[in-house]
Amino acid sequence: LFRSEEMGYYRLVIPFSAAWRVMDELGRKNTVQLVDLNEHVNVFNRTYASRIKLCEDLEKKITSFKEQIDRFNIEMVEVEDEANVYVHIESIQCIKGLSSDIYFNNIRKKLIDTENLLK
C-alpha cells in the first residue's frame, strides 16, 4: 500500500466480546490505519483503560514468574511461533464456549492464585 493509493474511510462498530479478535486480525493485515475519534477524552477515562491496566498488572506477574523460574533454574519450553499460540487459545475458547473476556478473566484468576501460592 502506497501513500498515494486511494483509501476508504470507514467506521467500525465492534461488539465488546469480539473487539480483541477483530482488532488482532486487522492488525495482522497491516493495511489499516486507525483514527482516534475520542482524542478529547482523557486516556484514563477511556473504555479500555481499566483493561489495559489489568494487562499491565498481569504482565508484571508473568515477569515475576519468569524471574522465579530463572532463579531456580527451572527448564521452560519457549514458544517458537506466536501465531500458533493464538490459534491454540482460540481453540480452547471454542471448546469451552468462552468469550475472550471470560477467558481472560479465568487466566487472570489463575495467575493471581498462583502468585498467592508462591508467597
Side-chain angles (χ1 to χ4, degrees):
L1 191 64
F2 296 101
R3 194 174 197 164
S4 61
E5 283 190 63
E6 189 171 325
M7 298 175 69
Y9 189 74
Y10 302 91
R11 176 179 289 211
L12 293 176
V13 179
I14 305 167
F16 183 79
S17 61
W20 191 86
R21 188 175 187 189
V22 169
M23 294 308 294
D24 183 60
E25 282 296 319
L26 288 174
R28 290 173 192 273
K29 300 291 182 205
N30 202 25
T31 57
V32 176
Q33 179 179 345
L34 301 176
V35 176
D36 187 357
L37 297 177
N38 296 312
E39 57 188 319
H40 63 281
V41 177
N42 184 316
V43 174
F44 299 107
N45 294 333
R46 292 179 180 230
T47 306
Y48 294 99
S50 61
R51 183 56 104 207
I52 292 169
K53 178 69 175 135
L54 283 176
C55 290
E56 289 172 347
D57 290 344
L58 292 180
E59 182 180 29
K60 288 177 187 174
K61 289 180 191 323
I62 292 169
T63 301
S64 173
F65 292 157
K66 175 73 169 105
E67 288 169 359
Q68 293 295 324
I69 287 168
D70 292 343
R71 182 173 154 215
F72 292 104
N73 295 319
I74 299 170
E75 190 174 326
M76 196 168 100
V77 177
E78 295 289 328
V79 173
E80 292 181 17
D81 184 9
E82 292 177 21
N84 283 337
V85 172
Y86 179 69
V87 169
H88 181 67
I89 289 171
E90 272 192 326
S91 67
I92 292 172
Q93 282 179 250
C94 288
I95 290 167
K96 293 186 175 188
L98 300 174
S99 69
S100 297
D101 195 46
I102 292 172
Y103 190 65
F104 175 84
N105 286 331
N106 288 349
I107 292 172
R108 181 176 164 265
K109 184 179 180 335
K110 286 179 183 179
L111 286 172
I112 291 169
D113 290 348
T114 303
E115 181 185 46
N116 289 335
L117 283 173
L118 295 174
K119 287 183 179 179

